[in-house]
Amino acid sequence: MAIDYQELIPNNVDLAGNRTLQRALEQWQPHFLDWWRELGPSDFQTADVYLRTATSVDAKGWATYGTLKMPDYRWGIFLADAVPDRRIGFGDEFGKPVWQQVPGEHRSTLRRLIVTQGDTEPASVEQQRLLGHTCPSLYDLRNLFQVNVEEGRHLWAMVYLLHAYFGRDGREEAEELLARHSGDRDKPRILGTFNEPISDWLSFYMFTYFTDRDGKFQLKSLAESAFDPLSRSCLFMLTEEAHHMFVGETGIARVVKRTLEVMKELGTEDPAALRHAGAIDLPTVQRYLNFWFSSSLDLFGAEVSSNAASYFATGIKGRPDEANFEDHICREGAFALEEPDGKGGTTTESVPLRNAMNEITRNAYIRDCDIGVKRWNRLIAKAGYSIELALPSPHFRRGIGAWARQPVDPAGRILASEEWQAKLPGWIPSEEDRAYIKSLMRHVIEPGRMAAWIAPPDRGINNLPVNYEYVHLN
Ligand code: BYC
């Protein structure tokens, strides 16, 4: 059946005028919908959800609100407005015109990066598919679904690039994006974190705070790309990504706020007493934070990476906010990198700057992560408590790069292996923690009501009241 693309798939890439692309997407779209029904949010496909849909890239159209059923969401394809005469902003090709087509010599590298980016989007939807059953409120349920449909749209954004610029192998990769599944033994998602289950809402908030923020920094790096369609796709995705991190930051803030209320009511900081009253004690919040922060740090790749050096040299992938750096060529500079010396201490290696691009991006990410932690700590201090949440050392519990499998504690000290093994369960969520958090997860679906472990949000969505019926369950 012919699809009216202007009607069904809002876009600014002239889909209607490109028959080849249209045919490719016509074949892929039913597979996407099958995947959405099978592995998207389970059992909520007939619910009416208050969602924002991008119908254009301008201020008026990028956030159009309305109530709809998720399978009817209009997954659009948008590129940010073109910058006239845009030039390559870094690397050996600095100052030359950006590419409107994929240069032959960079084809496989670009395809690999687009596939890696694309793979994370459906992965996150799969990871979160059961969460709807235990939502702490209708407001949160709606936010979960908003995040899910937009991750679906980000998959479309990458599939568009694969179909439009990579011919048959691009189409094959687009199919594979629906064939790999989060946590699947035989066909897992590409990057580690996207195979971790997200079975409770504390993990969901941590994921949207820490892992979506990796998305922010990777998208910023790809937005610098000399391959202009990739750059423009990622720039627009960043607009939507901000809400996902907001869900994480405010979600954790609301958990902390509620815990502080219960601490005040009971006059105690004792985790057992707080748990008895149904709140999430702050040491548990810290353990979840340790888990998701360390897992997300791995997503930046190894500290020293010849891949990253070559992405930078060729103009394929830059640093986030490249314009803020003075030197865009980086042929000369060096980066001082702290590494384990293999004898229980550390040593500082001087690494050619281009090889340290992953670490430079990771450091920018860490600074950004710290902003939320400071905000949560202000809430705690304002309530009169001296406890502080903290990001663990970036060397703690790493699985990729120089610090992989090193016995480092959250404070950054290198321990003896046995001591580290013995202490690890105290630093990340234990089975008992997970069971407790799971026991709190109930389906709260009365408009305006919140689960007892989380405070209400300060305001609703799009100026609507908090008690608006954001999801109508049919
Ligand atoms: N797990 O040279 P290296 C998002 C692989 S999140 C497994 O250090 P490179 C979102 C690496 O692929 C953003 N494998 O790697 C968030 C390489 O394998 P190959 C996603 C890993 O290339 C929430 C090998 O190790 N976007 O959008 O410098 C919800 C050598 O490593 C991992 C992107 O990732 C890992 N953690 O950097 C929804 C952007 N780390 O190629 C969405 C595109 C590394 O030798 N991807 N490896 O077989 C990239 O730019 C790069 O692939 C990476 C790795 C930054 C990930």
Side-chain angles (χ1 to χ4, degrees), residues 36 41 124-125 128 143-153:
W36 178 267
S124 67
V125 176
Q128 297 160 13
N143 282 346
L144 168 71
F145 293 157
Q146 182 69 62
V147 168
N148 290 163
V149 291
E150 283 175 354
E151 299 302 4
R153 203 198 71 71

Side-chain angles (χ1 to χ4, degrees), residues 2 34 100 107 129 140 142 145 151 155 173 186 189 227 256 310 315 365 391 440:
D34 287 348
Q100 298 306 331
R107 192 183 162 89
R129 73 182 294 267
D140 289 282
R142 175 266 167 209
F145 293 157
E151 299 302 4
L155 169 62
E173 291 285 10
D186 301 322
R189 290 299 178 181
F227 179 40
V256 169
S310 133
Y365 165 82
L391 296 176
L440 296 177

Side-chain angles (χ1 to χ4, degrees), residues 112-113 116-117 120-121 124 151 190-192 194 207 211-212 214-215 218 222 298-302 305 307-308 311 317 358 400:
R112 173 89 185 138
L113 285 179
T116 307
Q117 176 63 51
T120 64
E121 317 288 2
S124 67
E151 299 302 4
I190 297 171
L191 299 173
F194 293 88
F207 180 91
T211 312
D212 277 275
D214 166 56
Q218 295 299 335
L222 294 174
D298 276 343
L299 294 171
F300 291 84
S305 164
N307 283 348
Y311 303 152
K317 184 183 173 195
N358 287 344
I400 298 274

Side-chain angles (χ1 to χ4, degrees), residues 402-466:
W403 292 93
R405 289 165 292 283
Q406 295 293 317
V408 178
D409 74 1
R413 285 178 297 249
I414 302 181
L415 308 183
S417 262
E418 306 73 51
E419 187 187 357
W420 187 84
Q421 281 296 347
K423 287 185 170 165
L424 180 66
W427 295 322
I428 56 174
S430 63
E431 283 309 312
E432 195 196 333
D433 290 337
R434 291 192 186 279
Y436 172 65
I437 297 297
K438 201 163 167 222
S439 77
L440 296 177
M441 300 295 125
R442 303 268 163 76
H443 200 204
V444 180
I445 51 168
E446 208 177 289
R449 239 191 91 201
M450 298 289 140
W453 52 270
I454 190 164
D458 290 340
R459 58 190 72 83
I461 297 295
N462 194 28
N463 294 324
L464 291 172
V466 171

